[in-house]
Amino acid sequence: MPALLDLLAVSPDLLALGEPTHAESAFLQLRNDAFLSLAEHGYLSIAVESDRAAGLIANEFVQGGADVPLDRALAEGFSHGFGAAPANRDLLLRMREWNAGRPPAERLTFHGFDAPLELANAPSPRLHLTRVCDFLGLDRSAEIDDLVGDEARWTDTAAIWEPGRSVGRSADARALQVLADDLLTELYLRAPWKPDGWSAALVHAMSAVAVLRYHAAAAAPLAPEERFGRLAAVRDALMAENLLAIRSAEAHRGPTLVFGHNTHLQRQPGTMTTADTDVSWAGAGAIVATLLGDRYAVIVGSLGASPALGIEAPAASTYEGRLQQETDLPRYVPASDIGPAERRTHDYRYFPLDRAIIEHADAVLHVPTGVDAATLADRIVALPGVAQVVASEENGSPEAAWGDRFFFVGPDRRQPFATIVEHDVPGFDEAAQLDRPGVFRLNLDLGRDEFERRFGFPPKAFEEHRDDFDFARLDTLMPHPGYALYGFGSIVMPGPQLLPEIDRLLAVAYGRAADRHQRADRRAADQQD
């Protein structure tokens, strides 16, 4: 793929990389590679579509803090359940590794740019107001508790759609807005005397204001057909405010990579049909692009097939179909190189490309297909003479292995040259954390010579190097945690960008198996003679 920066006429302050769905891991895996590559060119910060205040916790882990372990960074440092995505685990670990031993000015920083809310649900401002008070040394907890009252009246999902049930314009909410403004003022007044932790306190103050603004918008007496568009617009406005604040904080350190859904990052207004009504609103990207001009660039994501989502390959006449006619690998394409085509059907699992998205983008990242265990299995059984055995109760396999795939050349079923497994084996093989949803591992018989060439030590020396490897990391060839002594390597959840490398490794493993099969045939022939 061409380098990201080669696609842009000028180097932006904010480079947005979009995904057309949150449910295809390939985009997160490609994002990780892109960000670490961009870091070599001065991009020292990333902002992802996740709660900005929660992101403070994830960033503490990234900076090497001992008080935030990885499990907490993933559970509390992301909103919307995004911490469960295996690629987000990798992002935090890779950023932390980059930062190790570097001075603060050269470290990578993690940000969220979303407000602490869902479109159909928002909390009270209690947590964020309390954090600001704690920083300022103010005891206003009784006042906050009295005004907030029962948390349920804030989190009532129905209140988002029925303005009469919303607390957003009540006397209590208005008093909380005044309180939040007072705390913001106090933060600035005390900044010269309390610089340490001030930026984090400001994030919490802005989060409190954002929550109150959203609840106020939910309480507006709008017709049902207007409410979705208005609330979506308010949320994106809050995202834009966060992006501009992040950009201001990072301006002296270099550009920022932004990652989120296309609809939030694209330059033109977003559209959606709900209840048979077309609604349109300005997304965060449209707002930021207006204010920053060519200092904002956007690369939108495009998807062909997705086994994870059950999305089949696109028709050749669509934008996605034409983008994958030349290669089955991910690629960046200048938007100006993409001609007219048909719009793919929108089914809410995937937001397809259309002419407006392309015309307002700088480039497109097209992923022809996501990769799952079945996709890789099809690639392996396409090799000559390969047979696949799927472990099951019927063929006498242990229950822990049911569903795992074993690949052989010839009738000998004793030694597979490749396996695809989706389960941990308690007490033996748990380091790869294969029991995470959607995670699998490709294992390959590399042999002693290829193993040593790849890892720098022979299989017999593996135990001396075991602690050098994070066996749960995605997209990385590493020794097999259980069978490295026999020359096996493995890759957890390889993304589509690794398919050429997988083919090379498969050629090695397949070649070894084919040679064994041929030798066995010759021995059998010699015995018959």
Side-chain angles (χ1 to χ4, degrees):
M1 291 189 291
L4 273 166
L5 299 181
D6 292 342
L7 299 168
L8 308 175
V10 296
S11 181
D13 293 340
L14 283 175
L15 173 55
L17 179 61
E19 59 176 353
T21 172
H22 288 317
E24 175 49 68
S25 178
F27 288 97
L28 279 72
Q29 292 170 252
L30 288 164
R31 172 208 64 190
N32 292 354
D33 290 346
F35 179 50
L36 271 295
S37 175
L38 288 169
E40 302 285 352
H41 298 277
Y43 282 71
L44 299 184
S45 55
I46 185 171
V48 305
E49 185 187 333
S50 182
D51 174 16
R52 188 178 176 205
L56 297 170
I57 298 172
N59 187 57
E60 189 172 344
F61 173 82
V62 164
Q63 300 306 317
D67 294 336
V68 177
L70 177 60
D71 288 351
R72 183 186 171 207
L74 293 173
E76 301 178 23
F78 291 87
S79 60
H80 305 87
F82 292 155
N88 281 333
R89 173 190 183 274
D90 280 17
L91 175 65
L92 297 190
L93 284 170
R94 292 175 70 175
M95 292 177 69
R96 183 180 173 110
E97 289 167 4
W98 168 284
N99 289 342
R102 296 179 187 266
E106 298 177 11
R107 293 178 187 168
L108 304 179
T109 303
F110 178 93
H111 299 277
F113 70 86
D114 201 353
L117 51 87
E118 301 272 2
L119 184 63
N121 187 28
S124 82
R126 187 197 312 267
L127 170 66
H128 303 292
L129 293 173
T130 301
R131 293 285 174 84
V132 180
C133 288
D134 289 344
F135 173 76
L136 293 172
L138 301 175
D139 184 6
R140 303 186 69 170
S141 58
E143 179 184 3
I144 293 170
D145 288 344
D146 183 59
L147 291 172
V148 171
D150 185 357
E151 195 76 23
R153 65 177 181 154
W154 298 86
T155 58
D156 179 11
T157 302
I160 296 296
W161 308 113
E162 300 175 30
R165 297 181 59 164
S166 176
V167 70
R169 299 197 177 189
S170 65
D172 288 342
R174 294 185 186 279
L176 285 166
Q177 287 177 320
V178 173
L179 173 58
D181 285 339
D182 287 347
L183 292 177
L184 267 172
T185 301
E186 195 66 23
L187 271 177
Y188 281 99
L189 288 173
R190 299 198 191 185
W193 295 275
K194 293 182 71 69
D196 294 341
W198 187 91
S199 296
L202 179 64
V203 169
H204 281 290
M206 291 180 65
S207 295
V209 171
V211 166
L212 289 165
R213 286 176 181 168
Y214 194 77
H215 278 291
L222 297 176
E225 61 271 17
E226 299 178 78
R227 293 186 64 75
F228 181 90
R230 178 62 180 174
L231 291 175
V234 170
R235 182 186 179 196
D236 269 289
L238 297 172
M239 288 183 176
E241 183 178 30
N242 282 335
L243 282 174
L244 293 170
I246 291 166
R247 186 63 223 133
S248 177
E250 294 287 349
H252 67 291
R253 299 195 331 122
T256 299
L257 178 67
V258 182
F259 182 80
H261 199 285
N262 286 343
T263 55
H264 295 305
L265 301 181
Q266 63 195 29
R267 283 193 180 94
Q268 81 284 10
T271 58
M272 181 178 288
T273 301
T274 178
D276 298 324
T277 301
D278 291 335
V279 295
S280 180
W281 70 96
I287 297 169
V288 171
T290 300
L291 300 176
L292 295 186
D294 61 6
R295 290 183 291 151
Y296 179 77
V298 59
I299 299 173
V300 297
S302 167
L303 177 63
S306 173
L309 298 177
I311 295 176
E312 301 293 335
S317 58
T318 64
Y319 287 104
E320 291 83 356
R322 293 187 178 181
L323 281 168
Q324 63 189 61
Q325 287 177 1
E326 298 180 13
T327 178
D328 64 351
L329 298 176
R331 61 176 180 142
Y332 295 101
V333 183
S336 58
D337 290 353
I338 302 173
E342 295 177 3
R343 186 178 187 272
R344 195 176 185 180
T345 301
H346 177 202
D347 67 359
Y348 294 96
R349 293 173 299 175
Y350 168 72
F351 286 64
L353 295 179
D354 59 31
R355 196 68 221 157
I357 291 176
I358 293 169
E359 288 179 347
H360 289 87
D362 295 279
V364 172
L365 167 60
H366 181 67
V367 176
T369 182
V371 176
D372 69 347
T375 302
L376 282 185
D378 290 343
R379 208 173 188 91
I380 298 172
V381 297
L383 297 170
V386 171
Q388 175 184 197
V389 175
V390 180
S392 65
E393 183 178 12
E394 291 71 23
N395 57 28
S397 300
E399 184 176 355
W402 291 353
D404 292 345
R405 297 167 168 88
F406 300 81
F407 302 90
F408 304 88
V409 174
D412 183 2
R413 298 293 184 265
R414 290 179 298 176
Q415 186 173 348
F417 71 92
T419 67
I420 298 175
V421 299
E422 303 179 56
H423 313 284
D424 289 333
V425 180
F428 171 69
D429 182 4
E430 300 175 274
Q433 300 178 27
L434 298 178
D435 286 341
R436 292 175 289 172
V439 175
F440 61 94
R441 185 180 64 205
L442 171 66
N443 307 310
L444 296 163
D445 178 11
L446 302 178
R448 181 182 58 196
D449 293 343
E450 183 68 13
F451 185 101
E452 185 168 2
R453 189 177 77 81
R454 294 280 182 161
F455 302 119
F457 56 87
K460 64 181 180 181
F462 166 64
E463 289 300 335
E464 301 169 23
H465 297 272
R466 176 184 286 274
D467 293 341
D468 297 341
F469 298 95
D470 172 13
F471 296 104
R473 177 164 297 184
L474 315 186
D475 297 319
T476 306
L477 175 66
M478 61 187 68
H480 188 289
Y483 295 108
L485 292 175
Y486 305 101
F488 268 76
S490 62
I491 306 176
V492 174
M493 208 173 170
Q497 74 278 17
L498 285 189
L499 290 176
E501 177 66 6
I502 287 172
D503 287 341
R504 286 189 288 270
L505 295 170
L506 277 173
V508 172
Y510 172 79
R512 287 174 49 79
D515 287 345
R516 286 195 300 270
H517 176 54
Q518 292 170 5
R519 291 196 301 270
D521 282 349
R522 287 195 295 268
R523 285 195 299 270
D526 290 343
Q527 290 172 359
Q528 290 177 358
D529 291 342

